[in-house]
Amino acid sequence: METLKLFIKSALIDNVVFIQYLAICPFIGMTNDTEKATGMGLATTFVIMLATAVTWPLYKLVMVPLGLEYLQTLFFILVIASLVQLVEFFLRKKVPGLYNSMGVYLALITTNCAVLGITINCISKNFNYGESLVYAFGSAMGFLLSMVVMSGVRSRLKIAKLPKAFAGTPILYITAGLLSLAFLGFKGLIK
């Protein structure tokens, strides 16, 4: 039951985009098409899971015993960058259409603050290895959910009649703000 609570809390209540305001760049840049948004969400999910699976033991079993905790951010970024290169290589070879559609945003997973933020949160919240993986998966699913929801809203905005002052970027930020407010409604779901 606690595992399910942690999953729901990380996906909805502490949503990485709408509540923690991380990963805004891919959220705005990759949500104009649902297929691209889903691909980006899945690629990021894969990197988040791998990064958490590697960084937690690296931190607990190597960095802490050697007194290298102060290098946490540096080591985590190196791990994340390496994993993104693996994902990029895989997509280029196996899914070239998705690779081409993601363009520069695929490489930006390396600097996606959500990936780094989630791995650091696992350490700072003092989760064990299993809890870290559940938290990372829930957070990744929350990121994917936010990408797909925003892409759906943007597809509706394309056909909507908007006042000229709201067209383009202004309506995106207004929509993102309203979605953030909607996600605040989950705050009382789990104590």
Side-chain angles (χ1 to χ4, degrees):
M1 191 62 166
E2 291 302 314
T3 303
L4 181 60
K5 283 182 181 179
L6 180 59
F7 176 83
I8 292 170
K9 189 171 184 343
S10 60
L12 299 176
I13 298 168
D14 294 330
N15 184 278
V16 72
V17 175
F18 295 131
I19 303 301
Q20 296 182 43
Y21 305 114
L22 299 174
I24 300 300
C25 178
F27 175 72
I28 296 297
M30 290 294 295
T31 55
N32 56 349
D33 176 63
T34 303
E35 190 173 321
K36 287 188 336 188
T38 304
M40 178 60 140
L42 291 173
T44 304
T45 297
F46 183 70
V47 171
I48 287 170
M49 291 306 298
L50 279 178
T52 302
V54 172
T55 57
W56 191 94
L58 173 70
Y59 183 83
K60 295 289 186 177
L61 302 175
V62 177
M63 295 173 67
V64 170
L66 295 175
L68 300 174
E69 299 94 339
Y70 64 94
L71 294 173
Q72 175 187 30
T73 303
L74 176 66
F75 278 116
F76 284 17
I77 288 173
L78 290 172
V79 167
I80 292 165
S82 301
L83 294 172
V84 170
Q85 290 300 312
L86 289 172
V87 170
E88 190 172 349
F89 177 75
F90 174 79
L91 289 178
R92 187 179 326 135
K93 295 291 184 192
K94 301 291 183 186
V95 194
L98 180 58
Y99 172 79
N100 292 330
S101 72
M102 292 177 86
V104 69
Y105 289 100
L106 182 58
L108 288 177
I109 294 176
T110 302
T111 58
N112 185 335
C113 54
V115 179
L116 181 60
I118 290 166
T119 57
I120 289 175
N121 280 347
C122 289
I123 301 299
S124 67
K125 293 177 186 277
N126 208 23
F127 291 144
N128 64 35
Y129 191 65
E131 291 169 336
S132 294
L133 293 176
V134 170
Y135 176 82
F137 186 64
S139 296
M141 289 296 101
F143 176 73
L144 176 61
L145 175 67
S146 66
M147 296 289 284
V148 172
V149 166
M150 187 61 162
S151 69
V153 170
R154 286 182 77 170
S155 69
R156 298 287 298 185
L157 288 174
K158 288 178 187 174
I159 59 173
K161 292 183 179 183
L162 297 170
K164 192 173 183 178
F166 289 117
T169 305
I171 196 66
L172 290 179
Y173 289 121
I174 291 168
T175 303
L178 291 173
L179 287 169
S180 290
L181 285 173
F183 269 73
L184 280 174
F186 292 119
K187 275 292 187 196
L189 187 64
I190 295 176
K191 302 247 180 211

